[in-house]
């Protein structure tokens, strides 16, 4: 999720905090420049240096890191806190970084000396603020006191006494002559720093932010009963204005650099722009799908940034109210996807060295796992769903805690790239296959290697457990399948027959049979007990890269990478029941639906098809190479990988995005519904019949149909009516025969309406 965001002081770059990473964007083109990764746990705070060339981050891993914005390199790692570094700040001169830790200390780090200058402790420090000149740092404490410390010497300067409870917020005025402190009872005190005297005491509520000129303070609260922002004049101590109209509590408020405008964001998912002088709400900007956690103005005041739990940051143009959306997703190609055993979570792994965990219902990225230094080749969930194992091209296997995102073990021993990993059915063991010609079996609890399986003469591409967990099968470059006893590590059978590299092996659901797919253009079925080949499945014209059993095991599907076909074979007779022809690009992956009545196939350029297993007919297809080429073309989504769910599937692409699709059978028709996506973009549904659109006037409906019927460019629904967001259902009738296609596209039957649905709309809006 996007937790917070911040602009550099010069406005040339923009940083978004998400889990254990910092995403840095250039504001000239809004393209991501860097993902700053290195912390082993979640980052709690980030801040730019005064000149904008560095970013400092504090993490729950107890370290403070300083990053170079131009290169993306980590230039300093400061170690000293015994528990997590909770917040960080630069001094105004940029030569000192302050960090506050859960260990009750504040540490001042000298960037020139690259070391700790001072350690300040005691009295439960809650917050900190540098004076504008950078010579003093003020610390608010649990004992209700504010202490001022000399930054150069680290010596105590003075103390401000007056609060009865813990000080929760402190801030300096722009000139540095005043300091504002707020305690847990929402009592506000304005202090004259030089004299140490309290000039004024006021009763506020919730959180507070000081105006740039230091003459006003804005109070707000995240609780639903506090649905207002109260503006207080610090000179008179009077509430001069109340900004109301909120539906729920407010999480973030920020002043513009001139102090004449305020932006707010909260639990009602909206971003609001206010005139400070009149209290008028100038704009209400909607689009976030979940709570807005942070808002801020750009240094010039022409843009507003908002971060949300929906995993996005939106950049709103102050003048027009239009936005640009930044989604927190993979920065490079998605290598693959895996569902958790309970189907409530999806993990994606990428060439960007990260693994991301997504909520399967909402599409929100809940966690990002970092640590690999190169491509992540594959992952596997434990049967209990509490662990995840991954492997990469640095020769290591990593075991992760799914709940916390912590790396539990780094399994080392392989001397080359690890290309496959899998949990045993009981979750106690992991098998890893490597280009070093070996398979290793690891103890999950201890991280120790139990067996090294070394009889392959070439690279091992795949290792998989039998359904019973007593056997591991491996295959690779030497063209053989080897069956290993898990308990002893002994090789039980060597299944020889393929004349080229084996791409895939898979056990049948009952564990009695193995199917192997090879570059020799054949699929072989093997009897596990006897260790012999029962069928050679011949038909593909070139390499066979994918093979998968149907849920009941009576059928096996295979995909040829160059002949662009999927073949369905009977496992008892070895007979080819259907050859599925229609793909125009090399087939990337195949999978059965949960019930086994459908099989999905995807090819290199976003060409997805659903096939009826019984008839062999294509019941849904997507053809897209960057431009629309058919009436069933939904979305450009190149280089797709897919993982099945109960009548749904996931796709990922080389742009780093992840999407979930639902497949729904209705009599003799199928509907394919985009459930959610991780990136920006648009879903274009063509040849659709609008059966019911709730919340639109008749004029709006006619307008939409007219636009679609005249063949004009796709209409953004938001431009047609603000009520379009309440759209309930747009049913796309997919062509199952040429007659149906003609009926759908006939203007007399139903206008061919081209609708563009904004990506933030929910499932029921994009049916």
């Amino acid at each position: 999720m996007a937790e917070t965001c911040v602009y550099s002081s010069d406005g040339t770059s923009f940083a978004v905090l998400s889990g254990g990473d910092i995403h840095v964007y250039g504001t000239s083109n809004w393209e991501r420049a860097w993902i700053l990764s290195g912390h082993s746990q979640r980052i709690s705070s980030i801040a730019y240096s005064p000149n904008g060339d560095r970013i400092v981050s504090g993490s729950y891993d107890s370290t403070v890191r300083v990053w170079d914005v131009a290169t993306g390199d980590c230039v300093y790692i400061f170690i000293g806190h015994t528990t997590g570094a909770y917040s960080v700040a630069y001094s105004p001169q940029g030569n000192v970084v302050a960090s506050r830790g859960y260990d009750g200390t504040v540490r001042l780090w000298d960037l020139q000396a690259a070391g700790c200058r001072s350690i300040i402790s005691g009295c439960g420090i809650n917050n900190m603020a540098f004076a504008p000149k950078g010579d003093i740092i003020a610390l608010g404490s649990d004992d209700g006191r504010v202490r001022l410390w000399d930054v150069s010497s680290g010596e105590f300067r003075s103390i401000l006494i007056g609060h009865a409870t813990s000080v929760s917020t402190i801030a300096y005025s722009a000139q540095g002559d005043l300091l504002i402190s707020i305690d847990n009872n929402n009592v506000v005190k304005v202090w004259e720093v030089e004299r140490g005297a309290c000039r004024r005491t006021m009763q506020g509520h919730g959180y507070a932010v000081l105006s740039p000129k230091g003459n006003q303070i804005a109070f707000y609260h995240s609780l639903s009963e506090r649905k207002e922002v109260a503006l207080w004049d610090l000179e008179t101590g009077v509430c001069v204005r109340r900004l109301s109209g909120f539906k729920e509590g407010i999480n973030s408020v920020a002043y513009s650099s001139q102090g004449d405008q305020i932006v707010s964001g909260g639990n009602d998912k909206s971003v609001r722009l206010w005139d400070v002088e009149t209290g008028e709400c100038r704009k209400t900007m909607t689009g976030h799908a979940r709570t807005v956690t942070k808002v801020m103005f750009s240094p010039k005041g022409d843009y507003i940034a908002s971060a949300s739990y929906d995993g996005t940051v939106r950049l709103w143009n102050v003048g027009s109210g239009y936005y640009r959306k930044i989604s927190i997703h993979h920065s490079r190609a998605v290598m693959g996807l895996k569902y958790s055993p309970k189907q409530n979570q999806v993990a994606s792994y990428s060439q960007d060295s990260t693994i991301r965990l997504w909520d399967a219902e909402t599409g929100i990225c809940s966690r990002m796992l970092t640590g690999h230094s190169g491509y992540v080749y594959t992952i596997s969930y434990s049967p209990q769903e509490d662990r995840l194992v991954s492997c990469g091209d640095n020769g290591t296997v990593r075991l992760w805690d799914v709940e916390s995102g912590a790396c539990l073990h780094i399994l080392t021993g392989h001397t080359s790239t690890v290309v496959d990993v899998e949990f045993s059915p009981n979750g106690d063991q992991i098998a890893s296959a490597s280009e070093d010609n070996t398979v290793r079996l690891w103890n999950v609890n201890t991280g120790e290697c139990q067996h090294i399986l070394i009889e392959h003469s070439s690279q091992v591409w795949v290792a998989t457990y039998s359904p019973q967990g007593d056997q591991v099968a491996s295959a690779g470059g030497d063209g053989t399948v080897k069956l290993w006893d898990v308990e002893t590590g002994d090789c039980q059978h060597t299944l020889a027959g393929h004349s080229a590299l084996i791409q895939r092996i898979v056990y049948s659901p009952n564990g009695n049979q193995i199917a192997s797919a090879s570059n020799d253009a054949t699929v072989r079925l093997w009897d596990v007990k006897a260790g012999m080949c029962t069928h050679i499945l011949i038909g593909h014209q070139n390499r066979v890269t994918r093979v998968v059993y149907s849920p009941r095991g009576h059928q096996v599907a295979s995909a040829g990478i160059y002949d662009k076909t999927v073949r369905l074979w009977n496992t008892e007779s070895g007979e080819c029941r259907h050859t599925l022809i229609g793909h125009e690009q090399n087939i990337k992956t195949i999978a059965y639906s949960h019930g086994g009545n459908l099989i999905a196939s995807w090819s290199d350029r976003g060409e997805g098809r659903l096939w009826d297993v019984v008839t062999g007919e294509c019941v849904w297809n997507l053809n897209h190479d960057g431009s629309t080429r058919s009436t069933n073309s939904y979305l450009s989504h190149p280089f797709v990988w897919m993982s099945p769910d109960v009548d749904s599937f996931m796709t990922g692409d080389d742009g780093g995005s992840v999407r979930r699709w639902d497949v729904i059978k209705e009599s003799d028709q199928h509907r394919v519904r985009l459930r959610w996506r991780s990136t920006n973009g648009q879903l274009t549904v063509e040849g659709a019949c609008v059966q019911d659109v709730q919340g639109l006037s008749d004029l709006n409906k006619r307008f939409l149909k007219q636009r679609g019927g005249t063949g004009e460019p796709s209409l953004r629904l938001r431009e047609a009516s603000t009520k379009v967001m309440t759209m309930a259902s747009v049913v796309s009738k997919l062509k199952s025969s040429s007659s149906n296609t003609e009926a759908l596209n006939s203007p007399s039957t139903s206008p061919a309406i081209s609708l563009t649905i904004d990506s933030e709309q929910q499932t029921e809006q994009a049916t």
Side-chain angles (χ1 to χ4, degrees), residues 644-667:
D645 187 15
V646 180
D647 292 328
S648 70
F649 51 93
M650 305 291 303
T651 59
D653 66 19
D654 65 348
S657 68
V658 178
R659 297 181 174 97
R660 170 175 171 170
W661 307 76
D662 282 348
V663 182
I664 303 160
K665 181 75 182 293
E666 292 183 339
S667 63

Side-chain angles (χ1 to χ4, degrees), residues 87-124:
S87 64
V88 291
Y90 262 97
S91 67
Q93 289 71 33
N95 61 334
V96 175
V97 164
S99 61
R100 178 170 64 90
Y102 283 111
D103 56 8
T105 68
V106 169
R107 292 174 180 259
L108 303 180
W109 307 94
D110 190 307
L111 297 182
Q112 292 181 339
C116 184
R117 173 184 289 186
S118 304
I119 303 175
I120 304 170
S121 61
C123 303

Side-chain angles (χ1 to χ4, degrees), residues 430-475:
I430 292 168
S432 59
S434 171
E435 292 181 354
D436 65 6
N437 304 355
T438 70
V439 176
R440 288 178 179 251
L441 305 183
W442 309 85
N443 183 291
V444 169
N445 293 323
T446 65
E448 296 178 354
C449 181
Q450 296 175 309
H451 296 292
I452 304 176
L453 316 181
I454 57 175
E455 291 195 14
H456 280 286
S457 60
S458 185
Q459 299 168 333
V460 185
W461 292 108
V462 59
T464 183
Y465 283 91
S466 65
Q468 296 77 22
D470 58 341
Q471 191 178 72
V472 166
S474 60

Side-chain angles (χ1 to χ4, degrees), residues 544-561:
V544 186
T545 57
R546 293 292 185 272
V547 62
V548 59
Y549 276 93
S550 64
R552 290 190 293 148
H554 68 289
Q555 190 179 78
V556 68
S558 60
I561 189 169

